[in-house]
Amino acid sequence: MFGRSSFKARNVAVDGSNAFDREVPDPSQVHLLICALDYKGTSCPLTCTLDGNNMQALARACGVQDMEVMYDNQCTKENVAERIRQMAQRCSDDDYFIFYYSGHGTSMEDEDGDEEDGKDEALCFVGPQGQLSGDYFMSDDDFAELLTEEIPESTRIIIMTDCCHSGTIGDLDKECWEGREVVSMSGCTDSQTSGDIGKGGIFTHSLLLAIEKITKSGTDEFSVGLLYNATVHEDDKVFKSAQDIQLESPPGFMPNQMAWPLVPRGEYRSPLSQVTEAAASSPGGGGGGGGDGPMGGKIDLAQILAQNPQLAAQLGIKPEMIPFMQGLGGQMLEHGPEYMELLQQFGAGGQCVRLLQQCSIQQ
């Protein structure tokens, strides 16, 4: 692994141009596996199935036909591996395999010496009865081996993880990825924990809001690089979170060389957009839209959601996220061609572009 560097970007703009040669896929060519865990009955519960529900809604809006969903105790290491093997048999040359994970992530001792920091990253799957123990986790080494052995070499792969310690969960430096088209987007870096970012979900909501805004601008073909830039922008403007959203691709392949496959076929409204509309029409919301009340008065979305937890839960908003949402109302006003121009400026600004040859880890 040492001496071979994948492309890594952390919370900064990358090349968002369309440099992909392969066609944007038909929804029938997309194979999506969603894994989300709430860890019910453990000392570390989460509400990640809300993220899974939100990703399902996006996939349905995009017309995805092959979608598998695994929640909670279904997500044992063995079950997930078997489901990947089954889905791999349905993947063809120009298809996409997308793996989405929301749950706990962790670091563990590196067993084969391939990590410069001496730590492997791992997805925190559970035991058959929902037990949370290191014996049931899947390390980045095992995850990379599983995907590269089972998914056809010419199938395009996207890995998305909304969890802590997830920056390099795909281990895309490994030689087993050589020659493959694969991109990984993660909610934070290897060294960041859920305590830094409000227990997850912020990456997923930023991603979904970015997809809504890009497609509302009339753009239906765009690269993973552009979507990453928009996701970082939404995180910075809406949540102002401490998390660093990370992007990685293997040596010789760049994120703008892959078309983003999950493009809604009709009008798509992200959960955050639905929150804005619902809050505007709720008591105290002023009846306005887009984050503004009558006479231009601002709606305090965070306060409205805190006072109405049922509304937040209905729209897939975790209680832990609400304090981060101070900037949502005004941010919803960005849309259309102006939004695409904003993203172009964000990507073109020299001070915004930083290519990391190695992941910066602070233990």
Side-chain angles (χ1 to χ4, degrees):
M1 177 175 174
F2 303 153
R4 301 180 69 252
S5 295
S6 61
F7 168 88
K8 297 183 181 73
R10 190 177 67 184
N11 226 46
V12 292
V14 301
D15 188 344
S17 63
N18 290 354
F20 42 86
D21 296 325
R22 302 171 75 178
E23 293 183 359
V24 177
D26 182 89
S28 64
Q29 296 175 283
V30 176
H31 311 272
L32 170 63
L33 175 58
I34 296 173
C35 296
L37 299 94
D38 289 341
Y39 306 97
K40 300 170 184 175
T42 74
S43 60
C44 305
L46 296 176
T47 51
C48 292
T49 53
L50 290 175
D51 297 328
N53 293 341
N54 290 330
M55 288 300 297
Q56 286 190 70
L58 171 66
R60 288 192 294 267
C62 298
V64 173
Q65 301 171 22
D66 187 12
M67 174 171 59
E68 301 275 358
V69 180
M70 304 179 71
Y71 283 173
D72 298 322
N73 294 8
Q74 296 175 320
C75 295
T76 66
K77 180 167 54 175
E78 294 77 15
N79 286 349
V80 172
E82 181 58 29
R83 192 67 59 90
I84 289 174
R85 294 186 186 100
Q86 293 173 0
M87 297 187 73
Q89 296 177 6
R90 304 196 290 268
C91 293
S92 299
D93 288 348
D94 287 324
D95 290 359
Y96 276 78
F97 175 77
I98 303 175
F99 178 84
Y100 173 86
Y101 174 88
S102 183
H104 281 302
T106 191
S107 292
M108 54 198 306
E109 290 301 317
D110 178 20
E111 295 183 354
D112 61 3
D114 68 335
E115 301 282 355
E116 290 184 334
D117 65 344
K119 297 285 186 181
D120 279 332
E121 284 63 57
L123 302 175
C124 296
F125 295 128
V126 295
Q129 307 304 318
Q131 310 98 306
L132 188 56
S133 166
D135 294 336
Y136 305 118
F137 298 167
M138 181 180 289
S139 71
D140 52 7
D141 292 336
D142 293 339
F143 184 58
E145 181 180 351
L146 174 65
L147 292 184
T148 54
E149 287 187 354
E150 300 297 337
I151 306 298
E153 188 170 352
S154 57
T155 296
R156 292 167 279 189
I157 298 175
I158 295 177
I159 301 166
M160 293 183 285
T161 52
D162 201 339
C163 62
C164 56
H165 299 295
S166 58
T168 60
I169 194 63
D171 248 1
L172 301 187
D173 278 336
K174 283 183 170 292
E175 292 184 6
C176 61
W177 290 111
E178 186 172 356
R180 285 182 175 263
E181 296 187 8
V182 54
V183 175
S184 172
M185 283 195 286
S186 50
C188 61
T189 67
D190 291 342
S191 61
Q192 289 178 323
T193 66
S194 59
D196 298 322
I197 60 174
K199 296 190 177 179
I202 289 177
F203 163 60
T204 298
H205 279 285
S206 298
L207 176 83
L208 297 177
L209 181 57
I211 291 172
E212 176 189 3
K213 289 188 175 184
I214 292 173
T215 54
K216 276 188 174 179
S217 76
T219 303
D220 57 7
E221 292 188 6
F222 50 95
S223 69
V224 174
L226 179 70
L227 178 59
Y228 172 77
N229 289 347
T231 301
V232 170
H233 174 72
E234 299 303 333
D235 172 48
D236 288 345
K237 294 297 183 180
V238 175
F239 298 106
K240 299 178 177 64
S241 70
Q243 75 184 78
D244 289 328
I245 299 175
Q246 184 157 319
L247 180 70
E248 185 181 16
S249 59
F253 186 74
M254 298 294 288
N256 67 326
Q257 293 178 278
M258 180 179 286
W260 175 253
L262 295 177
V263 179
R265 295 180 134 185
E267 182 180 3
Y268 169 71
R269 292 161 60 244
S270 68
L272 293 185
S273 178
Q274 296 177 55
V275 163
T276 304
E277 296 172 8
S281 61
S282 68
D292 292 308
M295 307 300 292
K298 291 293 181 183
I299 299 170
D300 190 339
L301 290 170
Q303 181 179 356
I304 291 173
L305 291 173
Q307 294 172 347
N308 192 345
Q310 290 183 336
L311 172 64
Q314 178 183 347
L315 298 174
I317 305 298
K318 303 177 182 182
E320 300 91 343
M321 290 177 55
I322 293 174
F324 290 91
M325 298 175 63
Q326 301 294 338
L328 178 57
Q331 184 67 2
M332 296 307 298
L333 300 176
E334 294 182 348
H335 57 81
E338 295 82 4
Y339 184 69
M340 299 306 294
E341 292 177 6
L342 185 152
L343 292 182
Q344 290 175 359
Q345 295 172 5
F346 179 51
Q351 73 276 14
C352 295
V353 178
R354 179 179 59 185
L355 307 185
L356 304 180
Q357 294 303 312
Q358 296 182 12
C359 184
S360 177
I361 305 295
Q362 294 181 355
Q363 295 292 345

